[in-house]
């Protein structure tokens, strides 16, 4: 295969040069990954001068050769500093192998010739914009390092520097994108110090692409800037962004055989450089959840999951390495996005991407396009380009895939099949290929399934069996999560956080939605799912691992594979392991009850429906590593969406844990970065396709802004809203002392009568600091929500649909506010003091009356009806409990939730779904 349109990227060793130049960009701020640098920028002048952190070799003078004329030119400060730097400088801390590599490796590209270290030391905006840049170096015009300096500038985080904000040593904290701080490194610590991480860094010079992962890992701990509030962009975000821009800028120059120019500062104040570069995004999109929804078994779904990831990796290799055009900058439920030169998509590249994707899985049906950003300058274009590309992707994924784009191999398969004897049908999984009548699925889907099964055998602690995730009632829940990220990825809401806040001089400057910062925004969300939710919330809530046992049967002539069974009338799934001559249990043993020798187990082979039975001879512990499993299964994580299967009985606890972490890590922006959590409860036997359909509908719930009126404030982050929700917004930074002037702002619905101490304008609204909110203020809130669905019949999946107001026509009380769940659960606890029989009687009386008086009551007229309210109050008061003994507040609250119908919802959740039946 060779792509003629891109051949020049490979010729003349350009490919290698591009990959080397990329590494220089990755490492261009490696000196920031030193303890000394953090000390230096925090006020302890540690380096020999301010640019000594750029000096990555022992003798910069030996590498950077100035021209004879340079003596008479006023040189840029950065150049003077680099050349005059003494120890301590970055080179004193960088491993020798990396120093040698940077010094001895040269990039030859477009007639330019520089050592990597030269690129790093010169690649700064100050050098790039110097009026006589092309006369400074001996026989070199400085263009290549200038491009790096430009990319550094374009990726740059803020135009304006924070006011003060220096952190006190040694406890330097790293913020997430939204003002939640943690200590990621410990200065001077032999394990947790930045120097310690740097010493371990290695560059694999024969596999440069692999080195990226190592650099990214090491640089996660470093910071672009340590001052508040710009201590949120990590060195990893920063370096990855500069590298992607630099690589793409050079690839574009090679492809067009031009050297776009970099001139001087257009605006020093706004840090805008006058230059000719532009960037675009290449997007390769798949309907990931649509594919998952085709799965009949978990193994099918996980097979698709792997296919998507392999397809992304295949495209990545093509675009990042084989024809180095750019780097991945984002990936989510809609597909993968790369930086791309300022060119249209070449037809042969599109074709080759499609071919690579189809090689992995023809059903992926990729939509491939190049997105051009809006705006006149490169910086403006980059701000909104990811959001624009995602928008285009969603639109194109909503269109049915064009038949003509499908490879002719599909039709061939059917024609071939017809020639063979026997009957053929459409495969129920892929719904595309022919399968033999009587076979479960087509050959292709069977292989996908089988390969996933093999992967499980290698790593049996990660279960793929729904029976193992099911709880003691044999029920499970699909947990769906979603962040309302759209207006963040567009850069809009990034500007509701401040880089400068000085109430004394009325200076309030929004943060700049630069590419590096947008990366940090989605990276914070991705990390929330991967680390907080999976590693913390799920594992902690589920507690100890599930156990598996070996059951030895009286006959041993079984076909290997899965069997659905029953023992003593209770469910039991088994997996025949021929070598062991034993059945491994692959369902929750609590659901099966005690199993003893002599018990009869009835079985059904799920594919053939063939029935059989055996008698238990003996039982023993399953051998490691088959003896334990984690009782959850992550199906999907991307910055915006999350899917996992969990035991039904633990699902509410998990939701609560996730919510608490969200409050902690996203609390300062909770009014504008909503979290949606949903639970789809089902019996283990519920078809997966119905469950996935319901999940997709839930994830489509519209994210709606509302107006919330403030009832009371304490001036220190506590807000009581009229709708009875209360928030405690953190008002200090992670050190517990520094006042947070940058993150916790609210948009007022109406301009304030008198200006507040801390306020600024954005998007036509006045944004006011939480401490300056007042009673009676109406603020814009995009609330977090919680919903659940009991999928007791497959047809009920259609109930997970929302109208334009974001309500479920079938259940007008829902979704709940996520922040209300705790209060509702407490009220349920109070109501549960009635006997179960009484609870059911009370609710039945209320709900049948509601139906008799108001019919289906889609508009919730009942909730506003005083006669109905009186009826509900009387019903509660007359129940068999001491109503008068309950506090007046609680009586009011209980009446309110009973009138609205929330109480009936809670009853469904606790009594029907979770079967909390303790009479
Ligand atoms: Zn198939």
């Amino acid at each position: 295969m060779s792509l003629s349109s891109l051949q020049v990227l490979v010729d003349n060793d350009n490919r290698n040069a591009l990959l080397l130049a990329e590494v220089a960009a990755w490492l261009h701020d490696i000196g920031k990954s030193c303890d000394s640098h953090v000390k230096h920028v925090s006020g302890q002048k540690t380096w020999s001068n301010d640019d000594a952190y750029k000096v990555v070799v022992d003798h910069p003078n030996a590498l950077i050769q100035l021209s004879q004329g340079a003596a008479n030119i006023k040189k840029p400060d950065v150049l003077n500093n680099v050349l005059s730097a003494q120890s301590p400088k970055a080179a004193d801390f960088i491993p020798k192998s990396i120093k040698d590599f940077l010094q001895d490796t040269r990039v030859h590209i477009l007639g330019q010739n520089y050592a990597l270290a030269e690129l790093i030391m010169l690649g700064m905006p100050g050098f790039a914009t110097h009026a006589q840049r092309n006369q400074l170096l001996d026989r070199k015009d400085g263009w290549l390092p200038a491009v790096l300096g430009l990319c550094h500038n374009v990726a740059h985080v803020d135009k304006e520097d924070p006011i003060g904000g220096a952190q006190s040593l040694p406890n330097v904290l790293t913020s997430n994108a939204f003002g939640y701080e943690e200590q990621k490194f410990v200065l001077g610590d032999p394990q947790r110090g930045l120097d310690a991480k740097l010493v371990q860094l290695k560059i694999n010079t024969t596999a440069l692409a692999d080195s990226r992962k190592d650099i990214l890992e090491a640089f996660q701990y470093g910071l672009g800037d340590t001052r508040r509030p710009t201590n949120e962009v990590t060195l990893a975000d920063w370096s990855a962004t500069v590298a992607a821009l630099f690589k793409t800028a050079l690839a574009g120059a090679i492809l067009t055989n031009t050297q776009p120019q970099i001139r001087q500062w257009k605006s020093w104040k706004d840090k805008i450089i006058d230059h000719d570069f532009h960037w675009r995004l290449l997007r390769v999109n798949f309907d990931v959840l649509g594919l998952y929804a085709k799965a009949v078994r978990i193994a099918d779904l996980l097979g698709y999951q792997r296919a998507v990831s392999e397809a992304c990796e295949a495209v990545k290799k093509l675009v990042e390495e084989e024809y180095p055009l750019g780097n991945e900058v984002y990936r989510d439920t809609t597909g993968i996005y790369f930086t791309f030169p300022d060119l249209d998509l070449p037809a042969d590249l599109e074709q080759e991407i499609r071919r690579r994707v189809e090689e992995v899985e023809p059903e992926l049906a990729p939509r491939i396009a190049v997105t051009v950003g809006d705006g006149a300058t490169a910086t403006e274009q980059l701000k909104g380009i990811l959001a624009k590309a995602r928008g285009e992707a969603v639109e194109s994924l909503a269109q049915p895939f064009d038949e003509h784009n499908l490879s002719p191999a599909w039709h061939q398969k059917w024609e071939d099949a017809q020639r063979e004897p026997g009957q053929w049908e459409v495969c129920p999984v892929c719904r595309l290929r022919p399968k033999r009548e009587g076979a479960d699925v087509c050959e292709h889907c069977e292989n996908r399934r089988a390969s996933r099964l093999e992967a499980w055998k290698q790593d049996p602690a990660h279960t793929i069996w729904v029976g193992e995730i099911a709880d003691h009632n044999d029920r499970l829940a699909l947990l769906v999560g979603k962040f309302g990220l759209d207006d963040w990825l567009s850069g809009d809401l990034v500007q509701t956080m401040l880089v400068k806040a000085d109430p004394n001089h009325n200076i309030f400057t929004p943060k700049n939605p630069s590419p590096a910062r947008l990366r940090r925004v989605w990276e914070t969300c991705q990390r929330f799912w991967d680390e907080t939710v999976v590693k913390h919330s799920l594992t902690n809530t589920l507690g100890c691992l599930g156990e598996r046992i070996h059951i030895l049967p009286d006959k041993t002539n079984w076909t290997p594979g899965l069997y659905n069974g029953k023992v003593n009338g209770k469910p039991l799934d088994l997996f025949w392991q021929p070598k062991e001559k034993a059945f491994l249990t692959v369902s929750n043993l609590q659901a099966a009850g005690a199993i003893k020798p002599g018990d009869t187990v009835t079985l059904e082979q799920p594919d053939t429906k063939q029935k059989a039975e055996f008698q238990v001879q003996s039982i023993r512990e399953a051998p490691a590593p088959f003896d334990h499993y984690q009782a959850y299964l992550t199906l999907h994580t991307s910055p915006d969406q999350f899917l996992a299967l969990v035991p039904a009985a633990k699902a509410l606890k998990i939701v609560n844990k996730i919510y608490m972490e969200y409050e902690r890590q996203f609390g300062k922006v909770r009014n504008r970065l909503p979290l949606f959590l949903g639970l789809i409860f089902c019996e283990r036997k519920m078809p997966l396709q119905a469950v996935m359909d319901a999940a997709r509908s839930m994830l489509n719930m519209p994210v709606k802004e509302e107006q919330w009126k403030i009832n009371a404030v304490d001036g220190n982050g506590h807000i009581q809203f009229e709708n009875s929700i209360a928030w405690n917004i953190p008002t200090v930074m992670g050190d517990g002392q520094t006042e947070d002037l940058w993150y916790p702002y609210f948009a007022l619905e109406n301009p304030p009568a008198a200006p507040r101490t801390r306020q600024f304008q954005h998007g036509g609204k006045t944004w006011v600091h939480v401490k300056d909110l007042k009673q009676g203020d109406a603020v814009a809130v995009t609330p977090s929500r919680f919903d659940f669905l009991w999928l007791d019949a497959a047809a009920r999946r259609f109930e997970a649909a929302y109208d334009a107001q974001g309500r479920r026509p079938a259940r007008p009380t829902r979704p709940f506010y996520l922040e209300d769940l705790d209060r509702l659960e407490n009220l349920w606890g109070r109501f549960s003091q009635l006997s179960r029989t009484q609870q059911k009687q009370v609710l039945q009386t209320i709900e049948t009356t509601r139906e008799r008086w108001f019919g289906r009551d889609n508009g919730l007229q009942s909730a506003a009806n005083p006669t109905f309210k009186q009826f509900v109050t009387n019903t509660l008061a007359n129940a068999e409990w001491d109503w008068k003994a309950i506090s007046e507040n609680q009586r009011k609250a209980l009446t309110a939730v009973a009138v609205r119908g929330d109480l009936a919802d809670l009853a469904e959740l606790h009594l029907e779904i979770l079967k909390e039946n303790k009479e």
Side-chain angles (χ1 to χ4, degrees):
M1 182 271 326
S2 107
L3 302 180
S4 57
S5 71
L6 302 176
Q7 189 55 34
V8 62
L9 292 179
V10 182
D11 290 344
N12 303 321
D13 212 22
N14 277 341
R15 180 174 170 271
N16 195 39
L18 280 165
L19 294 177
L20 286 171
E22 182 195 342
V23 175
W26 275 101
L27 297 176
H28 87 286
D29 265 350
I30 186 173
K32 290 190 173 179
S33 186
C34 296
D35 290 338
S36 300
H37 186 70
V38 176
K39 290 181 192 160
H40 187 83
V41 295
S42 306
Q44 284 185 9
K45 294 284 172 195
T46 319
W47 294 128
S48 62
N49 67 46
D50 284 351
D51 293 306
Y53 79 98
K54 293 298 282 189
V55 182
V56 293
V57 290
D58 295 324
H59 306 290
N61 289 291
L63 211 52
I64 298 175
Q65 309 275 333
L66 294 182
S67 68
Q68 291 193 334
N72 304 319
I73 301 172
K74 187 184 179 307
K75 290 182 276 300
D77 291 348
V78 53
L79 182 55
N80 285 329
N81 279 342
V82 162
L83 291 174
S84 65
Q86 306 293 314
S87 283
K89 57 180 188 284
D92 304 346
F93 300 93
I94 298 172
K96 183 167 184 305
S97 63
I98 294 184
K99 276 196 290 194
D100 291 348
F101 168 69
L102 295 177
Q103 176 162 308
D104 302 337
T105 315
R106 304 191 75 84
V107 179
H108 300 265
I109 210 166
L110 289 155
Q112 305 267 315
N113 182 352
Y114 291 85
L116 298 186
E118 246 180 313
L119 286 179
I120 291 175
M121 292 189 286
L122 298 172
M124 294 288 279
F127 177 79
T129 53
H130 193 268
Q132 288 156 292
R133 185 224 309 142
N134 57 3
Q135 298 163 39
L136 293 170
L137 304 177
D138 187 26
R139 279 166 295 166
K140 297 203 267 200
D141 65 4
W143 180 81
L144 195 58
V147 179
L148 180 55
L150 171 77
C151 293
H152 173 105
N153 169 268
V154 171
H156 212 296
V157 170
D158 282 293
K159 293 174 192 156
E160 294 184 54
D161 285 336
I163 304 170
Q167 298 199 52
S168 52
L169 296 176
N171 298 318
V172 175
L173 305 180
T174 302
S175 176
N176 72 4
F178 312 109
Y180 168 71
E181 292 184 329
E182 280 179 303
Q183 185 157 19
K184 293 278 190 192
F185 56 86
V186 179
L187 289 176
D189 187 278
Q191 266 90 46
R192 297 187 61 203
L194 291 176
D195 292 351
K197 305 272 180 209
L198 187 56
V199 168
Q200 289 165 18
L201 183 61
K202 288 188 185 68
I203 305 294
N204 183 349
T205 50
T206 51
L208 291 172
D210 293 349
S211 298
R212 262 189 244 146
K213 277 190 221 106
D214 299 332
I215 298 172
L216 200 60
E217 170 64 27
F219 284 5
Q220 269 178 43
Y221 299 92
L223 279 171
D225 193 336
T226 56
R227 288 169 301 176
R228 294 191 175 103
T230 50
N231 60 329
E232 94 281 36
V233 175
T234 68
L235 198 52
D237 299 311
W238 173 236
S239 308
T241 307
V242 175
L245 293 173
F246 188 50
K247 184 183 193 175
T248 297
L250 297 182
I254 293 174
L255 284 169
T256 54
N257 194 25
T258 53
Q259 290 191 4
Q261 285 310 297
I262 301 160
R263 292 168 290 274
Q264 286 155 265
W265 289 108
K266 194 183 265 175
S267 159
W268 163 251
K269 185 183 149 284
D270 292 337
K271 299 210 174 117
I272 297 170
I273 296 177
D274 184 13
H275 68 89
D276 299 332
F277 283 90
H278 291 278
W279 289 266
R280 299 186 185 186
L281 286 188
L282 166 67
R283 57 179 177 82
V284 180
N285 301 111
F286 325 99
D287 181 7
V288 177
L289 296 186
L291 277 172
Y292 285 11
K294 299 207 287 184
V296 171
R297 298 242 198 105
I298 290 290
D300 301 330
L301 193 154
L302 296 176
Y304 280 127
Q305 182 191 57
R306 191 159 71 175
V308 169
S309 138
E310 281 177 8
C312 286
E313 292 307 316
V315 178
K316 203 170 152 74
K317 196 160 185 320
L318 176 70
V319 173
E320 294 188 351
E321 293 175 49
E322 289 176 42
Y323 293 93
L325 285 156
N327 280 350
E328 175 184 350
V329 287
Y330 184 69
R331 197 192 294 207
D332 73 3
T333 328
T334 61
I336 186 165
Y337 300 76
F338 301 88
T339 46
F340 198 77
D342 192 23
L343 299 165
D344 293 338
L345 175 63
D348 55 356
L349 176 62
E350 179 181 355
Q351 209 175 1
E352 183 60 17
I353 292 174
R354 188 175 308 287
R355 197 182 71 79
R356 299 273 173 113
V357 171
E358 286 181 353
E359 218 168 60
V360 175
E361 175 55 77
E363 292 162 51
L364 287 177
R367 274 70 153 180
I368 306 158
V370 162
T371 298
V372 188
D374 296 325
T377 66
T379 311
E380 279 173 43
Q381 288 168 351
L382 284 171
K383 259 181 208 170
I385 197 166
L386 177 58
K388 185 177 177 192
R390 267 179 99 238
E392 289 174 0
V394 170
E395 206 166 292
S396 83
L397 288 171
Q399 308 296 323
F401 190 68
D402 189 354
E403 273 267 350
H404 301 294
N405 287 333
L406 279 176
S407 77
W410 293 104
H411 304 287
Q412 197 59 46
K413 274 190 202 314
W414 279 94
E415 281 168 25
D416 292 350
Q418 308 295 347
R419 277 196 283 276
E420 286 185 37
Q423 290 290 312
W424 295 84
E425 302 166 342
V426 176
C427 165
V429 174
C430 61
R431 300 173 210 170
L432 288 164
R433 300 182 189 81
K435 75 153 180 96
R436 239 174 234 291
E437 189 186 22
D440 194 34
V441 291
C442 75
E443 207 179 326
H444 184 93
C445 292
E446 185 54 51
N447 287 339
R448 190 193 309 108
R449 212 175 245 188
S451 76
R452 196 56 193 76
L453 190 62
E454 285 310 308
W456 169 72
K457 287 181 190 165
Q458 299 308 313
D459 180 17
H462 284 101
T463 185
I464 57 169
W465 309 109
V466 280
E468 292 192 321
I469 302 163
D471 66 9
H472 57 285
N473 294 319
D474 208 25
R475 291 177 175 183
L476 62 155
L478 177 61
L479 168 66
V480 303
K482 176 183 167 176
F483 280 115
L485 259 189
D486 289 359
D487 292 338
W488 288 91
L489 293 179
S490 73
D492 180 41
L493 288 173
V494 172
Q495 298 168 74
T496 64
M497 306 186 294
L498 300 179
V499 61
K500 262 187 182 175
D502 177 2
N504 296 328
H505 301 91
N506 199 27
I507 297 172
F508 298 94
T509 312
K511 279 193 174 181
N512 174 30
S514 66
R517 180 163 280 138
L518 290 183
R519 187 181 191 281
R520 181 59 168 158
V521 165
W522 64 253
E523 199 261 356
T524 298
C525 297
Q526 176 81 49
R527 206 172 275 273
F528 182 75
W529 301 123
D530 285 339
E531 291 183 4
T532 304
V533 172
V534 174
K535 288 193 191 150
H536 180 259
S537 311
L538 287 181
T539 325
N540 282 7
T541 316
L542 295 173
C544 59
L545 299 169
E547 281 180 27
R548 297 191 183 112
I549 53 172
H550 258 165
I551 298 178
L552 283 76
D554 56 349
K555 24 189 157 158
T556 55
N557 53 335
W558 305 91
T559 323
L562 175 73
Y563 293 83
N564 298 130
K566 281 221 145 112
V567 61
N568 306 319
K570 292 179 169 174
L572 176 68
D573 286 352
L574 297 169
F575 189 84
W576 179 245
Q577 295 186 304
K579 265 195 208 145
E580 319 266 357
K581 291 200 167 34
F583 279 111
L584 180 74
T585 58
V586 287
S587 60
N588 185 345
L589 290 174
Q590 282 182 307
I595 307 165
K596 338 171 268 307
D599 282 350
T600 302
V601 179
T602 56
L603 293 180
E604 184 183 284
Q605 219 278 331
D607 294 347
T608 58
K609 307 283 173 214
Q610 210 160 14
K611 292 189 189 336
E613 63 173 53
F614 70 83
Q615 268 201 344
V616 177
Q617 296 295 96
S618 63
I619 289 166
R620 62 179 186 213
E621 274 177 37
F626 285 93
D627 52 343
H628 285 99
Y629 64 91
Q630 303 170 319
Y632 68 85
L633 177 60
T634 310
L635 302 180
H636 181 70
T637 62
S638 70
D640 59 333
Q641 295 183 354
F642 176 79
L643 293 173
L645 286 168
V646 299
K650 296 288 176 77
L652 263 185
K653 259 202 192 116
I654 291 170
V655 162
N656 198 37
K657 272 237 163 72
I658 297 175
Y659 171 60
M660 278 160 57
E661 282 298 324
Y662 162 77
E663 240 183 345
R664 217 155 65 93
Q665 301 181 26
F666 295 74
K668 293 171 174 179
V669 294
R670 61 188 300 176
N671 53 327
R672 54 210 200 269
L673 177 44
L675 171 66
F676 167 71
L677 293 174
L679 291 170
I680 295 144
F681 292 98
C682 61
E683 301 265 359
R684 174 170 52 118
K685 291 285 171 58
M686 179 54 59
L688 190 57
Q689 291 172 339
V691 181
M692 277 306 301
D693 268 352
R696 287 167 81 199
S697 304
M698 266 200 183
L699 288 168
N700 275 334
M701 188 185 68
V703 175
K704 299 284 285 184
E705 190 181 282
E706 296 180 353
Q707 236 192 70
W708 287 16
K709 211 162 168 203
I710 296 177
N711 250 2
V713 285
D714 74 346
N716 199 25
H718 180 82
I719 316 172
Q720 178 74 50
F721 293 102
E722 213 175 52
N723 59 14
S724 72
I725 288 173
W727 283 354
N728 284 306
I729 309 279
T731 58
V732 289
M733 299 307 291
D735 58 0
Q737 291 168 11
T738 306
E739 194 183 353
D740 183 353
L741 296 168
W742 309 285
Y743 295 96
Y745 283 83
F746 283 75
L748 292 187
E749 291 292 349
N750 304 302
R756 309 283 167 90
T757 315
R758 285 149 290 200
Q759 69 169 55
F760 62 93
Q761 300 293 317
H762 174 73
K765 282 186 175 159
T766 306
W767 289 74
V768 171
H769 193 272
V770 63
K771 285 184 163 187
D772 297 325
L773 289 174
K774 295 199 162 113
Q775 184 182 8
D777 281 346
V779 294
V781 172
T782 311
S784 294
R785 296 187 179 279
F786 168 73
D787 204 353
F788 65 90
L789 179 73
W790 171 221
L791 201 62
D792 57 349
R796 223 184 262 284
R797 67 186 185 274
F798 300 113
E799 287 186 16
Y802 300 90
D803 62 20
Q805 272 63 52
R807 313 232 50 99
R808 269 167 56 187
R811 284 279 188 170
T813 47
R814 296 231 293 275
F816 294 145
Y817 291 129
L818 181 57
E819 27 261 302
D820 211 17
L821 190 58
D822 202 33
R823 187 184 70 94
L824 291 173
E825 285 289 291
N826 283 334
L827 288 170
W828 175 255
R830 198 77 186 77
F831 184 67
S832 302
Q833 288 166 354
L834 275 176
S835 74
R836 288 290 189 244
T837 328
Q838 274 284 295
Q839 286 170 30
K840 285 178 183 166
Q841 270 175 17
V842 165
L843 286 168
Q844 205 179 5
T845 310
I846 294 173
E847 293 312 314
T848 47
T849 307
R850 190 197 307 274
E851 210 182 322
R852 228 175 32 239
W853 293 6
F854 302 93
R856 290 193 53 151
D857 196 22
N858 285 351
L860 267 182
Q861 289 99 329
S862 56
N865 184 294
T867 322
F868 184 66
K869 185 178 172 190
Q870 192 54 52
F871 173 78
V872 170
T873 314
N874 295 344
T875 310
L876 284 169
N878 294 331
E880 286 169 16
W881 58 356
D882 191 355
W883 179 244
K884 289 264 160 59
I886 301 172
S887 75
E888 194 189 336
N889 272 344
Q890 287 225 322
R891 286 198 312 247
K892 267 192 186 156
L894 268 172
T895 312
V897 290
V899 169
R900 253 182 65 84
D902 296 335
L903 208 53
D905 284 344
L906 292 169
E908 184 198 11
L909 185 56
H910 287 276
L911 302 184
E912 195 180 338
I913 302 175
L914 301 176
K915 293 197 191 175
E916 291 169 3
N917 266 324
K918 41 172 198 244
E919 188 76 47

